[in-house]
């Protein structure tokens, strides 16, 4: 996965509306998907998948993904808990203009912050927004302003407004230096998320970057189980993860070996060992992905 996979769609511009952003190092991550429409099957969530790939690529250890309903108490509890447990938390959904879009107000409540109309966001909305609202339609204007009414930081809890896409008015609101509030629309979620990289990458030690090496084999999982169990036991002290993933229609299984940069040469040795033990062969990530399409 490239660092920014949609250059033709988005121009990157990290504009932060406060003088200083959090500088603590990042190691762990979590993703909170907010929306009844996901839970009731109306739409298929794509953002957590994007976020998982994103975290792997930049060296963050994604620890949790949750899907919750559009209910204030659910959002309050989840964001408080995640902020306490993880370094980088992304929320997706619930920041539109309708009655069930309550993410901003719920997160503001979770961290005892006021909601304030953010004038810079209003200006960007008027300048960059694609849909023009009749200024005489007061109800429509009121609904639109909901999307620019954002949590405001206080003396104990920070709230940063980040414009990570040059050609979009939609902000990323960062609360308590950990909770990053993003929209649920996948294309916009992707662009805003990848636009944050100039802020995030300097805070992620290079030693955390991981590699994924793959071996495909015609051996059945039951035939591989003993070898893989023993292999995992041998590498536990290096925090290397061994996984097995079947491609049923192709009649092939993939063995995944994931570990940090410092163990890359060691992992390459494990690949050779796995090839010999399971009569398999190493493949690239791109080659292995094609097996899932068969």
């Amino acid at each position: 996965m490239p660092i920014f996979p949609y250059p033709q769609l988005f121009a990157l511009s990290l504009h932060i509306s406060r003088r200083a952003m959090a500088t603590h190092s990042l190691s762990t991550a979590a993703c909170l998907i907010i929306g009844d429409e996901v839970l009731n099957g109306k739409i298929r969530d794509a953002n957590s998948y994007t976020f998982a790939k994103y975290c792997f690529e930049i060296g963050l250890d994604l620890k949790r993904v949750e899907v919750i309903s559009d209910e204030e108490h659910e959002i309050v509890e989840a964001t408080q808990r995640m902020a306490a447990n993880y370094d980088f938390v992304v929320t997706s959904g619930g920041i539109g203009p309708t009655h069930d879009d309550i993410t901003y107000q719920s997160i503001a409540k979770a961290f005892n912050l006021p909601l304030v109309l953010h004038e810079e966001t209003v200006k960007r909305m008027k300048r960059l927004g694609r849909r023009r609202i009749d200024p005489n339609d007061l109800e429509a204007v009121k609904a639109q302003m909901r999307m620019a009414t954002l949590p405001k930081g206080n003396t104990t809890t920070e709230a940063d407004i980040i414009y990570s896409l040059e050609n979009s008015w939609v902000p990323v609101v960062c609360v308590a230096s950990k909770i990053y509030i993003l929209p649920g629309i996948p294309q916009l979620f992707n662009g805003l998320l990848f636009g944050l990289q100039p802020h995030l990458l300097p805070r992620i030690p290079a030693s955390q970057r991981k590699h994924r090496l793959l071996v495909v084999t015609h051996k059945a999982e039951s035939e591989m189980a003993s070898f893989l169990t023993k292999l995992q036991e041998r590498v536990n002290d290096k925090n290397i993860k061994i996984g097995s993933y079947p491609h049923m229609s192709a009649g092939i299984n993939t063995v995944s070996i994931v570990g940090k940069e410092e163990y890359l040469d060691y992992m390459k040795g494990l690949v050779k060992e796995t090839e010999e033990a399971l009569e398999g062969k190493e493949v690239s990530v791109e080659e292995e992905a094609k097996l899932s399409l068969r």
Side-chain angles (χ1 to χ4, degrees), residues 28 77-87 89 111 176 178-179:
T28 59
E77 186 280 328
T79 52
Q80 288 177 337
R81 171 170 41 83
M82 287 184 168
N85 292 330
Y86 309 109
D87 301 322
V89 180
F111 296 93
K178 289 189 174 183
I179 305 290

Side-chain angles (χ1 to χ4, degrees), residues 74-271:
E74 293 268 6
I75 300 171
V76 168
E77 186 280 328
T79 52
Q80 288 177 337
R81 171 170 41 83
M82 287 184 168
N85 292 330
Y86 309 109
D87 301 322
F88 177 57
V89 180
V90 162
T91 73
S92 165
I95 63 171
T98 59
H99 69 283
D100 57 344
D101 291 308
I102 61 170
T103 296
Y104 285 144
Q105 68 189 57
S106 300
I107 293 179
K109 180 176 181 179
F111 296 93
N112 297 311
L113 299 176
L115 281 174
V116 177
L117 186 66
H118 193 257
E119 293 297 337
E120 187 173 0
T121 297
V122 173
K123 291 177 183 178
R124 290 177 66 93
M125 182 187 292
K126 292 178 179 179
R127 178 166 57 90
L128 298 171
R130 295 182 180 180
R131 294 188 178 183
R132 303 299 176 184
I133 300 298
D134 182 354
N136 297 314
D137 187 341
L138 299 183
E139 289 299 317
V141 172
K142 180 180 178 181
Q144 188 180 46
M145 290 303 102
R146 277 172 53 88
M147 296 186 289
T149 303
L150 312 174
K152 181 180 180 180
N154 57 30
T155 56
T156 58
T157 304
E158 298 171 351
D160 299 293
I161 312 300
I162 308 166
Y163 302 104
S164 61
L165 288 180
E166 188 176 272
N167 58 350
S168 173
W169 65 265
V170 180
V172 176
V173 182
C174 176
V175 172
S177 302
K178 289 189 174 183
I179 305 290
Y180 291 74
I181 306 172
L182 274 70
I185 299 170
Q187 187 182 50
L188 194 51
F189 176 92
N190 293 352
L192 291 168
L193 178 65
F194 283 87
L196 289 174
Q197 285 189 346
H199 167 60
L200 300 177
L201 290 179
R203 299 162 59 195
I204 303 172
S207 60
Q208 290 182 190
R209 305 289 167 83
K210 293 182 179 180
H211 293 269
R212 179 185 286 116
L213 305 181
L214 303 169
V215 175
V216 295
T217 175
H218 288 280
K219 294 280 188 181
E221 284 194 294
S222 57
E223 295 177 292
M224 300 189 296
S226 177
F227 170 78
L228 296 181
T229 298
K230 294 175 182 176
L231 187 62
Q232 181 64 74
E233 290 172 351
R234 281 171 44 201
V235 300
N236 279 336
D237 63 328
K238 297 178 177 61
N239 200 28
I240 293 173
K241 302 293 185 181
I242 308 296
S244 172
Y245 307 95
H247 301 278
M248 300 296 290
S249 60
I252 293 174
N253 289 304
T254 297
V255 174
S256 171
I257 302 172
V258 176
K260 292 183 178 180
E261 175 81 29
E262 63 182 303
Y263 295 118
L264 182 57
D265 289 339
Y266 180 78
M267 290 162 57
K268 289 179 179 179
L270 297 179
V271 167

